[in-house]
Amino acid sequence: MRNIRLPLGERSYRIVIGSRIISRAGHLIRSLSIGTDAFIISNPLVARLYAARLKRSLKSTGVSSFLEIIPDSEKAKSISVAERVLERIASRDTFKKVFIIALGGGVAGDLAGFLASVYKRGVPYVQIPTTLLAQVDSSIGGKVALDLPVAKNMVGSFYQPRMVISDTDVLKTLPRRQLANGMAEIIKYGIIKDPGLFTYLEKNYRRVLSADPRALEYVIGRSAAIKAAIVSKDEYDTTGLRAILNYGHTIGHAVEATSGYSGRYSHGEAVAVGMICAARISHILGMLNEKTLTRITALIKNCGLPTSLKGVSLPAIVKASRHDKKFVNKKTRLVLPKAIGKVKIVEGVPEDIIVEALKTTGGSM
């Protein structure tokens, strides 16, 4: 197992990465002394594959558990679903020390984390991410949220898990599209902070997409370490450092919202297009050279991620992006790459330049 510590004083926690560690989750969780009654939140497919194994592991250490199934889509991050699950937790909470476990991808993690942050003004929770994207990104850092129809993650809070348990073995069952989905966030880490990781991906993307254990452990560990280092210095997104993690997300979230969270574009696919748009904006502004733009585009394409948009309205994307939380004083606030491993936050990018970059993606006006 690989252990990465996210240092946050009293809220510090471990990110544990390894193969077949869901079977050892009970002992890992028991060591936290956070309670004896677990409320597990998962979706149908993940629950069918891993819930029994997790429940057995918990039971072996004296922890009882109850499983709650949520829809397997972004629509699970709704106020109506949150209300239903809160009522279920309350109806089952006849114990002194209840805690929550998120078993699934980013949707399960976001919902479970948000519910943990508000139930009884906060109860402990543990992240057990089962997608590559969740293991490298959404399970780490404490941003938890629900969606509103107008935009993603509009109702949320900062609430850190007590532990993240990333079992690389579960990734072997993921379809290639899901692995590519996670690759978008890993590429992001290379662009914003680590040229070595980006170069590794250029040479080894096939190994990651084929779920090679050593390649997976390396990219998950490196991504988790980068995010942990950033979050430890800017937990509440106040200094501007954490904002670089949003590279590709302003346009990406707008693409998802414009698509009605229908699954036409997964989160990683939307972020991939968002990263290319941001790189093109940077190139138009004279910040990024043609060679680097080509490298970014090529790696995204090689990983099976989209480099263009189809069936979406560009005006609708622009409109949706105005609701993004990263807007300041009604001005755009974009993370733009200057080189591999170096980005800059730029405010006030003219809307016509954003539209110009979007037009090259092929969306309709």
Side-chain angles (χ1 to χ4, degrees):
M1 289 191 300
R2 177 180 295 195
N3 283 269
I4 295 168
R5 183 173 173 79
L6 203 164
L8 292 170
E10 294 181 353
R11 296 180 309 287
S12 299
Y13 57 92
R14 286 192 297 156
I15 303 161
V16 185
I17 304 165
S19 178
R20 295 187 293 276
I21 55 175
I22 286 181
S23 299
R24 288 174 277 173
H27 292 281
L28 291 168
I29 293 170
R30 185 66 173 173
S31 70
L32 300 173
S33 299
I34 57 175
T36 57
D37 303 290
F39 192 95
I40 304 167
I41 295 175
S42 189
N43 66 53
L45 176 59
V46 173
R48 186 166 67 249
L49 292 171
Y50 306 114
R53 190 184 312 176
L54 174 60
K55 287 170 73 71
R56 283 195 302 269
S57 182
L58 292 167
K59 186 177 180 179
S60 71
T61 63
V63 176
S64 66
S65 60
F66 176 80
L67 176 65
E68 176 71 13
I69 302 297
I70 61 170
D72 186 17
S73 73
E74 190 74 24
K75 294 179 181 179
K77 288 171 54 178
S78 67
I79 291 175
S80 61
V81 171
E83 181 181 15
R84 173 178 64 80
V85 178
L86 282 171
E87 289 175 350
R88 295 279 283 174
I89 296 172
S91 69
R92 292 280 173 173
D93 183 12
T94 58
F95 318 108
K96 292 182 179 179
K97 292 189 70 176
V98 66
F99 65 94
I100 295 173
I101 298 176
L103 176 66
V107 168
D110 273 2
L111 177 64
F114 178 80
L115 299 182
S117 75
V118 298
Y119 184 66
K120 290 185 173 179
R121 299 187 178 91
V123 295
Y125 87 108
V126 172
Q127 289 267 16
I128 305 182
T130 59
T131 65
L132 180 58
L133 188 149
Q135 289 188 4
V136 301
D137 189 66
S138 61
S139 66
I140 304 166
K143 281 189 175 182
V144 296
L146 305 180
D147 297 338
L148 293 179
V150 70
K152 284 189 64 173
N153 300 329
M154 294 297 282
V155 181
S157 59
F158 290 91
Y159 197 69
Q160 300 296 342
R162 296 297 297 272
M163 180 180 283
V164 178
I165 301 171
S166 292
D167 190 332
T168 58
D169 200 52
V170 306
L171 304 181
K172 295 177 182 178
T173 64
L174 292 181
R176 191 177 180 88
R177 185 186 181 193
Q178 279 284 353
L179 289 169
N181 195 38
M183 281 290 278
E185 294 287 354
I186 300 170
I187 292 168
K188 177 195 75 177
Y189 288 118
I191 294 171
I192 68 172
K193 208 69 179 176
D194 191 342
L197 174 60
F198 190 90
T199 300
Y200 178 90
L201 293 173
E202 288 180 309
K203 296 177 180 178
N204 296 280
Y205 67 88
R206 291 186 181 87
R207 291 177 60 198
V208 179
L209 291 172
S210 63
D212 176 87
R214 293 185 67 180
L216 282 172
E217 187 168 332
Y218 173 75
V219 297
I220 293 169
R222 188 70 199 111
S223 299
I226 291 170
K227 185 162 187 180
I230 292 172
V231 171
S232 68
K233 295 175 182 176
D234 187 19
E235 180 181 3
Y236 298 110
D237 210 355
T238 55
T239 70
L241 176 59
R242 185 166 179 162
I244 67 174
L245 293 170
N246 294 320
Y247 172 58
H249 284 62
T250 297
I251 298 299
H253 284 169
V255 169
E256 289 181 273
T258 302
S259 302
Y261 308 117
S262 63
R264 177 191 290 268
Y265 289 95
S266 68
H267 176 71
E269 290 167 346
V271 167
V273 176
M275 287 193 292
I276 289 177
C277 284
R280 286 173 175 162
I281 290 168
S282 186
H283 180 62
I284 293 168
L285 294 175
M287 295 170 50
L288 186 71
N289 64 44
E290 183 75 31
K291 180 179 178 180
T292 306
L293 173 60
T294 300
R295 285 182 69 192
I296 291 171
T297 304
L299 179 56
I300 288 172
K301 182 178 181 180
N302 287 340
C303 289
L305 291 160
T307 59
S308 62
L309 292 170
K310 295 180 181 179
V312 293
S313 164
L314 298 192
I317 292 174
V318 173
K319 181 179 179 181
S321 70
R322 297 190 189 115
H323 292 282
D324 191 87
K325 301 181 298 299
K326 293 170 281 296
F327 270 50
V328 178
N329 297 324
K330 298 184 179 180
K331 291 183 178 180
T332 55
R333 188 169 183 248
L334 298 175
V335 182
L336 303 180
K338 298 180 68 177
I340 301 299
K342 187 176 183 180
V343 292
K344 181 180 180 180
I345 299 171
V346 179
E347 292 185 13
V349 177
E351 196 167 278
D352 62 331
I353 290 180
I354 297 174
V355 171
E356 181 182 348
L358 281 167
K359 282 181 178 179
T360 63
T361 65
S364 59
M365 288 300 293

